[in-house]
Structure formats: C-alpha cells, structure tokens
Amino acid sequence: MEAANLTVAATGVSLPLGSEAGSFSPSPGGVIGSTPGGAALPGREPPFSVFTVLVVTLLVLLIAATFLWNLLVLVTILRVRAFHRVPHNLVASTAVSDVLVAALVMPLSLVSELSAGRRWLLGRSLCHVWISFDVLCCTASIWNVAAIALDRYWTITRHLQYTLRTRRRASALMIALTWALSALIALAPLLFGWGEAYDPRRQRCQVSQEPSYAVFSTCGAFYLPLGVVLFVYWKIYKAAKFRFGRRRGAVLPLPATVQAPHEAEMVFTARRPVVAFQMSGDSWREQKEKRAAVMVGILIGVFVLCWIPFFLAELISPLCACSLPPIWKSIFLWLGYSNSFFNPLIYTAFNKNYNNAFKSLFSRQR
C-alpha cells in the first residue's frame, strides 16, 4: 500500500513534497525546509524541523509498539496451553499478520517516506517484495478481523450446533482462506502482469495503479470484508438483543417464601427443565457474551475508522486519474497501519485471561 511523502536530506528532514519533488506544499514555502520568507537558500540543505523529528519519532514508536505488543500476544498464546484452541487461533493469525506489518512493511515504508524526493533507492526486486508483503499482510489483518467477527456471530446465534469440533474446523478453514485470498491479491500483479509497482525513471515504488487491479484489490482487501463485518455485527446485535430478552422472559421466580438473601432467587428456566440457583441480573454466560459482542463491535469500529480513508483514496485515484496531496496520502496510510497496533489492545483488553497470562509470563521471567 502506497507510502506517501516525507523527505529527509543529509542535514535535515522536510515534509511534504508533491508527487514530483517539490510540487506540493500546503504553504508557500512548504511545511519544513524553507526560509522565513518562504524560499530555500540556494546551495543549502533545509534545516531541521522539530515537528518533522517529532512525527518521525512517533512513527518509530508506533512501529516498535505494534511489533512488541503483537509479539507478546503470540508468545502468550504459544506458551499457555489453554490458548491452544478457538478463538485464540484466530487471534494468533491476526497477531502474525500484524507482526509482519510491523517488521517488514512499516519500516520500509518509513524509509521510502524519508528518502529525498520520496524516491525508491533500494532497487526493483526489493520494491516488489515490499509491495507484495504490504498487500499480503494488511489484507490478511483485515480478513482476520472478519473471521473473528464471524466466529463470534456463530457462537452467539448457533451455540448448540456450533460445537467445539465444528468451531475448530471453521476457524482453520477461515484462516486458510484468509491467507490464500491475501496472497492472490498481493501476487496478482506479478503473476498476471497486472500493472507495475516500480517506475525506474521516477524511482517510485507503489501498488499497481492499473484501474482494474485497483478495483479488484480494494474490493477484495477491504470492501468485501467490510461488508461482511458490518452485516455480521448487525446480526450479532439483533441476535444478542433477542436472545437476552427471551431469557429474561423465560425466568419465572418462585414465591417470595423461598427467596434467598442478597436478592438471589430459585428460578425455573424454559431452556432446561431443572431448578437452578441464580443471582438476580445477568448470568455469567450473558455477561461473557455481551462483553465479547462489545469487543467485536469496537474491533470493527476501529478497523473501519483506520482503513476506510485509505481505501477510498486507493479506489478513486486510479479511476479518476487524479491524486491526493501527498500529506493526506501519508496520513491515510499510517492511519491504516495503526490498526495493527490497536487490534491486540482491543481483544486483550476485553479478555481477562490474557491479562492474567501476561502477569504470569512476566512473573516467571523474574
């Protein structure tokens, strides 16, 4: 996914340049690298900018935090035997894609952004490798979010038919399809000659701008999983609302003479012909499912907010033969990358087992 435009010189850093070096700046003299009057001094490199150094520092911290947090999730899943099952294998697949984004994609994207004139100086072969991993890992990360949403949907709506064995098979199939589809989208330009990522004349490295590939890649990598997760979460919300309402209507308390202290009551449920002792309010299972539904909702919401600006630009630009200002390309690109940082934060924040596993892991290291 196309890196945008920051520039670093031998003695300074400047942000941003246009599609050609120096063709765009949001102010007459550019954001950085100009004299107070608005024109760079001849024969001199632009001076350092505190703002640019701050931005680069924040991006480096984002890369490091994304890599370390997803790596921690992976190590925890591998070391804790209780996590060797669904849905943690889906979480592990997401963490793998996000670790690869942080390790292979984001650093080279930052290097590209910092090169003078945003030129790609690392050669054609490495350009193809970088673009392929960029599309592969980001697409896999997006589809893994869709897989987690689907698993949660089936757990809530088909909890009797969706047995552990069925769930294990379904999750394995979703993981395989996620990575296969991601590989197809990433390698299509190389396999079928669908546009060229590297421009040797301008020394540019970017995702193929062929209009037909732009439609295929954006739909397969974003708009299709977006439709899936929005539909699934709407169904989750409806199913959870109906199910919890029906449960409350099926609970019939016995007369007050059998009431226990602290508002606990003997209840007879329509689902199971047995008398059970239950605290008033939501059951443990209901609370767990509500928490999981909220987690999926936040995961989907953050995913949409992070990626939709970038994919709107990626779809529209090749079709209308127009281009966004490079500063907005940079913002949209790194906003999308940041989704790989938010993913592990969200699905661990709503699962106390991960928090306990983290504490146990660090206490053992001591």
Side-chain angles (χ1 to χ4, degrees):
M1 312 213 168
E2 182 185 356
N5 208 14
L6 299 166
T7 304
V8 63
T11 61
V13 186
S14 87
L15 188 171
L17 296 178
S19 57
E20 295 295 333
S23 65
F24 169 80
S25 65
S27 61
V31 175
I32 301 162
S34 63
T35 63
L41 293 177
R44 293 184 58 182
E45 297 290 350
F48 279 104
S49 164
V50 174
F51 174 75
T52 304
V53 173
L54 178 62
V55 170
V56 172
T57 303
L58 290 176
L59 293 181
V60 171
L61 290 176
L62 175 65
I63 294 172
T66 302
F67 177 78
L68 293 175
W69 193 248
N70 282 284
L71 186 63
L72 177 62
V73 171
L74 277 177
V75 171
T76 302
I77 293 175
L78 290 174
R79 296 193 61 172
V80 179
R81 186 168 297 179
F83 290 160
H84 295 178
R85 56 184 175 83
V86 185
H88 304 291
N89 57 345
L90 294 172
V91 174
S93 179
T94 308
V96 167
S97 61
D98 291 336
V99 160
L100 291 176
V101 169
L104 302 176
V105 178
M106 295 168 76
L108 285 177
S109 181
L110 184 59
V111 169
S112 176
E113 300 227 24
L114 293 175
S115 62
R118 200 193 150 273
R119 293 175 296 173
W120 181 262
L121 306 176
L122 303 177
R124 184 173 183 270
S125 297
L126 190 55
C127 170
H128 286 161
V129 170
W130 173 53
I131 291 294
S132 298
F133 271 106
D134 190 350
V135 178
L136 170 69
C137 300
C138 292
T139 303
S141 178
I142 291 170
W143 272 107
N144 278 315
V145 172
I148 291 174
L150 279 170
D151 175 73
R152 179 50 47 192
Y153 167 65
W154 289 326
T155 301
I156 291 178
T157 61
R158 304 178 184 180
H159 59 284
L160 294 180
Q161 301 94 334
Y162 198 46
T163 62
L164 181 60
R165 185 177 182 182
T166 303
R167 195 179 187 189
R168 192 178 294 127
R169 290 178 177 178
S171 64
L173 179 61
M174 286 191 292
I175 291 172
L177 288 176
T178 289
W179 288 97
L181 178 61
S182 301
L184 175 63
I185 295 173
L187 299 177
L190 297 178
L191 295 176
F192 309 118
W194 213 343
E196 175 59 51
Y198 182 66
D199 183 351
R201 182 179 62 85
R202 300 170 62 192
Q203 290 185 304
R204 292 295 175 85
C205 182
Q206 61 183 358
V207 174
S208 170
Q209 297 297 292
E210 186 75 23
S212 56
Y213 178 73
V215 174
F216 169 74
S217 61
T218 55
C219 289
F222 179 73
Y223 293 108
L224 183 57
L226 174 65
V228 170
V229 297
L230 292 180
F231 174 77
V232 162
Y233 192 68
W234 175 66
K235 298 291 285 185
I236 288 175
Y237 174 77
K238 288 186 63 177
K241 187 176 180 181
F242 171 76
R243 184 174 171 186
F244 297 150
R246 186 179 62 177
R247 278 189 177 185
R248 291 192 182 95
V251 174
L252 302 175
L254 291 178
T257 54
V258 298
Q259 294 289 327
H262 307 292
E263 298 184 352
E265 56 188 19
M266 300 294 291
V267 297
F268 184 84
T269 65
R271 291 177 51 80
R272 295 185 181 180
V274 295
V275 177
F277 186 77
Q278 172 179 305
M279 297 297 293
S280 61
D282 294 337
S283 68
W284 174 83
R285 182 179 179 84
E286 286 179 345
Q287 292 175 357
K288 182 180 179 181
E289 290 181 353
K290 282 183 178 179
R291 189 166 58 248
V294 171
M295 182 274 291
V296 173
I298 294 176
L299 194 68
I300 291 172
V302 172
F303 149 72
V304 172
L305 291 175
C306 286
W307 279 117
I308 200 167
F310 175 82
F311 278 100
L312 281 175
E314 282 295 294
L315 178 61
I316 294 172
S317 294
L319 295 180
C320 70
C322 52
S323 181
L324 278 176
I327 183 64
W328 288 107
K329 288 186 177 183
S330 263
I331 293 172
F332 293 164
L333 175 73
W334 287 92
L335 182 62
Y337 286 157
S338 70
N339 186 236
S340 294
F341 168 74
F342 290 118
N343 282 340
L345 290 180
I346 295 169
Y347 52 65
T348 56
F350 284 86
N351 193 320
K352 294 181 180 179
N353 293 331
Y354 279 104
N355 296 328
N356 295 333
F358 292 157
K359 293 176 183 178
S360 176
L361 184 64
F362 285 117
S363 61
R364 287 180 183 177
Q365 298 299 325
R366 293 177 184 177

